[in-house]
Amino acid sequence: MTDKGLETHVLGTTRFLDDLDKPHNQVGGFVFPSPVAHGIIREIDFTEALQCPGVHAILSAKDIPGVNSMGPAAEDEPVLATSKVEYAGQAVLLVAADNRACAKKAMEKVKIRIEALPPVLDPEVAFKNRDFLFNPLHIERGEINSGFDLADHLLEGKLEIGGQEHFYLETQGSLATPLPDGSLHIASGTQDPTANQHAVAKALNIEASKVEVTVHVIGGGFGGKETQSTWCAVWSALLATACQRPVRMVLDRREDMVFTGKRHPAVAYYKVGYTGEGVLTAYSSRFLFDCGYCSDLSYAILERCMLHLDNAYYLPAIQSDIYPCKTNKASNTALRGFGAPQAIAVIEHIMEEVAAALDLDPALVRQRNFYAPGSRNVTPYGQVVKDNVLKAVWQQLLTSADYEKRKAAAADFNKRNKFTKRGLALVPVKFGISYTTTFLNQGAALVNLYKDGSLTVHQGGVEMGQGLYDKMKTVAGREFGLKKEAIRIYPVNTMIIPNTSATAASTGSDLNGHAIKRALDRLKKRLNGFISTTYNIPLSSIVWEDSLIYDKNKPDIKHPLKDLVQKAHAAQISLSEQAFYKTPGIYFDKTTATGKPFYYFVTGMALTEVEANMLTGDYRLLRTDILHDVGDSLDWAIDKGQIAGAFVQGMGWVTLEELIHDNRGNLLTSGPDTYKIPGIADIPEDFRIHPFPGNPFKGGILGSRAIGEPPLMYGLSVWLAIKNALSAYAGRAVILHIPATKERIVMYASAYGKMV
Ligand code: MTE
Ligand code: HPA
Ligand code: MOS
């Protein structure tokens, strides 16, 4: 266990779930998955498999003591398949065995007869069949037809958007230990320990108070461990209960990739009307989201898509429908951006298309469409865009990145080179911070001060590499005048901080940081009264700094915090405090899609230049400039890392990463051999990341803004820069679907090349 956050990650010494010491009696937990994507189980017999050496238990749906359902939002996600299987990889049986080899041998002895049904793998087919997981989402504002009438030009099209594997370095896993009092301890690799706790309680038919879930740092989550981490927790808990032994279940990479969901692929049909200046008058769209076989978080994901159709742009008339298509694939889930990236890809693509049609500079067209103070500052869902810095960021980035000059140079380069073309693209982001399910915006903390002046902080946020623990130490340290070494962020534990929300929606620092600050403020207030009388310092001049207490008017007399704490303890003053925080002033009416769902927006922009070879599809990322508004950063080194990482992850999604299923629904790209994520060599040759200065957020934690997801959108600039390079080659705007793989670049280039 460690509270060191990023330091041990960097050193490579973090102990993940699979590195924890083996408890006495531990056995391994394994999953027997459905071999087909769609079918009816006619017969299953595992009596012979049970006889295999090293096998301790095999469980089917019938052996679940509680409810066979573990979905977060709807009862459409069984713990284990009963008669129906709906994707290749769906869990059918659980096996407890000494090791993976024993389990594998046993699985070969399972007799299963499945009547295969045709799988639906294409959301377009599901759409035609009206096969939706829940009611489609709809948003509209203004009169769409009058908006089109006002336009000088119309543009219609279709954009295909691929999915994305999370590829967290630590795969899904859980270690369940039955305790003597009938309760269970679950060490889980999860972003949502409370969800794990309740899912386990429900499947086992026991009270949530008997399920203790703990999480120390996890090796990445990226949304993939928000809900789907419950699976290993529940499966290992079922096996542990059946065997009365600790069961550790850690998926291997291929299992993880086949079993668990990804970013939703989507198809979008759009139509826009615009003026001769490139200003949009109307936008309508239809999105088909490929949700996979059950709902999971898809409702919230489609909702966030709906609330980001505009990205940074004022859309006077808008109408959009977003369809949750059911397919026979793993259930697609949260991944950094959570539905917003698909929406933003489409509107950014439209900006490029409009600029190309009018032969205008795309950066200028974007700026003309930005939200602006006055009549152009209300989102389609009715939230006012406050503290809008879009134009200022745009101006500053274009200047610092030398846009005009480089654009001219690229155009000149393109004149001189036939098969190598350069392209630039600017992508702004305006991303809403808060869970759109308003009640989830809450956090709690408990702080315990010890007699030596050290502090333990209990809070509900999971450290997954995003630097939350370090940031929470910064908050506690600044608030309490403590050295960072004196602070311990305790591993998240459902018995200490209950009813937590997932660490997601980029809200980790905000929700937990505010709760910690509140708890410490209260404790400090109590101790200030005591300090004032004990050390004879006026209340208004007490200073806490570097674990010392002093009077700001007598800075040479300093009292160690340790002495104060001991005195306070002897005076019977409580040294613990807890607090609760909820995000103020937000609300959202799901039936009308209106309200103020976001506490604030995060803004920034990226500008990327690529040079692509039209004969090989190979390209160089010449330079990326990012200017991002984090307010008063809690830790710029961490924020810069988050921006760089999110950019690279977003770039991977739109360029390299491609999920391919065969026509029976088997995922063919189920490992790093066939699924390519970006590596260190793929980052821009010249990579400049800067904070937009001088804009602290008053309602934020110590003036900061959330960082986790918004910069993922900057990756889109690579895709659009490639699109522009291709267009320069073709002599007209090329529609480039996502992902823009090298293969696709060559195919497009040769197709367009023939037409030139
Ligand atoms: N950074 C790292 N290194 N690993 C992760 O798993 N997850 C991202 C982002 N940054 C992630 C990450 C996602 S999807 C979210 S929502 C936020 O971190 C969650 O953490 P926060 O709310 O503390 O920013
Ligand atoms: N983001 C991430 N996770 C979520 C959200 C969200 O907006 N809503 C529910 N779970
Ligand atoms: Mo992030 S997708 O909200 O875990």
Side-chain angles (χ1 to χ4, degrees), residues 191 222-223 226 334-338 503-506 709:
Q191 290 174 243
F222 303 111
E226 183 172 341
L335 205 173
R336 210 171 195 172
F338 204 78
T503 307
S506 306
E709 294 167 285

Side-chain angles (χ1 to χ4, degrees), residues 17-18 27 29 170-177 185-189 196 200 213 229-237 247-251:
L17 210 114
D18 211 21
V27 293
E170 181 189 22
T171 55
Q172 304 268 7
S174 160
L175 168 58
T177 308
H185 178 265
I186 316 273
S188 176
N196 283 203
V200 168
V213 179
S229 59
T230 55
W231 307 357
C232 281
V234 169
W235 294 334
S236 62
V247 172
R248 179 170 353 209
M249 176 180 276
V250 177
L251 301 185

Side-chain angles (χ1 to χ4, degrees), residues 2-117:
T2 172
D3 69 330
K4 287 211 156 178
L6 296 180
E7 192 181 316
T8 59
H9 273 28
V10 174
L11 294 172
T13 56
T14 306
R15 293 177 73 206
F16 295 114
L17 210 114
D18 211 21
D19 305 317
L20 301 181
D21 291 335
K22 194 172 169 175
H24 173 65
N25 250 352
Q26 172 191 297
V27 293
F30 303 92
V31 177
F32 177 85
S34 169
V36 303
H38 192 196
I40 310 285
I41 303 178
R42 291 296 177 199
E43 199 187 326
I44 185 154
D45 176 3
F46 50 87
T47 39
E48 210 183 310
L50 257 178
Q51 304 310 314
C52 284
V55 170
H56 300 273
I58 300 184
L59 307 180
S60 72
K62 290 194 205 97
D63 304 304
I64 298 170
V67 188
N68 184 15
S69 172
M70 59 175 177
E75 304 295 328
D76 62 357
E77 183 178 324
V79 174
L80 293 172
T82 46
S83 60
K84 198 168 53 172
V85 285
E86 299 197 90
Y87 77 97
Q90 184 176 351
V92 179
L93 300 174
L94 299 173
V95 179
D98 285 346
N99 53 51
R100 191 172 278 278
C102 294
K104 218 175 149 206
K105 280 207 182 104
M107 288 186 206
E108 282 161 12
K109 297 259 155 59
V110 172
K111 294 195 185 84
I112 185 163
R113 192 163 60 81
I114 301 180
E115 182 187 323
L117 298 169

Side-chain angles (χ1 to χ4, degrees), residues 226 297 300-301 304 334 338 434-437 440 502 504-506 598 709:
E226 183 172 341
L297 285 171
I301 291 165
R304 186 168 283 271
F338 204 78
S434 293
Y435 281 98
T436 52
T437 304
L440 292 173
S506 306
F598 302 119
E709 294 167 285

Side-chain angles (χ1 to χ4, degrees), residues 430-661:
K430 170 190 124 289
F431 192 90
I433 300 299
S434 293
Y435 281 98
T436 52
T437 304
T438 304
F439 84 88
L440 292 173
N441 297 289
Q442 53 175 293
L446 165 68
V447 295
N448 296 326
L449 191 55
Y450 294 91
K451 283 195 280 177
D452 62 352
S454 67
L455 181 82
T456 298
V457 175
H458 297 279
Q459 49 89 53
V462 170
E463 173 59 60
M464 57 189 110
Q466 86 279 42
L468 179 74
Y469 278 18
D470 282 288
K471 285 191 169 180
M472 295 305 93
K473 278 190 195 178
T474 300
V475 172
R478 275 199 223 158
E479 215 38 38
F480 223 63
L482 276 184
K483 294 191 180 115
K484 272 198 178 178
E485 304 82 75
I487 306 165
R488 178 178 186 205
I489 310 291
Y490 199 79
V492 180
N493 185 320
T494 54
M495 299 293 109
I496 303 176
I497 304 293
N499 308 317
T500 50
S501 293
T503 307
S506 306
T507 60
S509 309
D510 285 3
L511 298 177
N512 299 293
H514 275 291
I516 293 168
K517 181 172 182 299
R518 272 195 189 170
L520 288 172
D521 281 347
R522 279 185 203 153
L523 182 55
K524 199 165 153 183
K525 196 166 170 207
R526 182 154 71 232
L527 288 169
N528 273 345
F530 181 72
I531 291 169
S532 185
T533 49
T534 310
Y535 297 128
N536 199 17
I537 307 177
L539 270 180
S540 59
S541 56
I542 301 173
V543 179
W544 297 59
E545 197 179 270
D546 281 339
S547 299
L548 298 165
I549 310 285
Y550 63 91
D551 182 339
K552 75 167 180 240
N553 300 316
K554 296 179 193 161
D556 14 306
I557 315 167
K558 291 191 168 136
H559 310 278
L561 177 67
K562 187 174 159 182
D563 292 354
L564 162 74
V565 178
Q566 278 165 12
K567 286 195 170 79
H569 181 63
Q572 296 171 300
I573 292 173
S574 165
L575 299 173
S576 297
E577 195 56 76
Q578 59 177 20
F580 179 80
Y581 172 81
K582 63 173 184 174
T583 309
I586 51 174
Y587 52 92
F588 186 62
D589 181 343
K590 291 184 190 287
T591 54
T592 58
T594 55
K596 187 194 168 197
F598 302 119
Y599 189 34
Y600 59 99
F601 296 105
V602 165
T603 40
M605 277 167 221
L607 177 70
T608 289
E609 182 172 8
V610 302
E611 183 181 304
N613 183 316
M614 299 297 143
L615 300 177
T616 63
D618 220 359
Y619 56 86
R620 288 169 57 202
L621 251 177
L622 300 178
R623 175 169 163 185
T624 294
D625 292 67
I626 294 172
L627 186 60
H628 185 87
D629 187 11
V630 279
D632 276 349
S633 173
L634 284 174
D635 189 324
W636 177 242
I638 289 175
D639 285 345
K640 194 175 176 188
Q642 283 288 294
I643 294 168
F647 168 83
V648 169
Q649 193 166 34
M651 174 185 89
W653 165 51
V654 295
T655 59
L656 298 174
E657 301 178 39
E658 190 169 27
L659 294 160
I660 300 172
H661 290 79

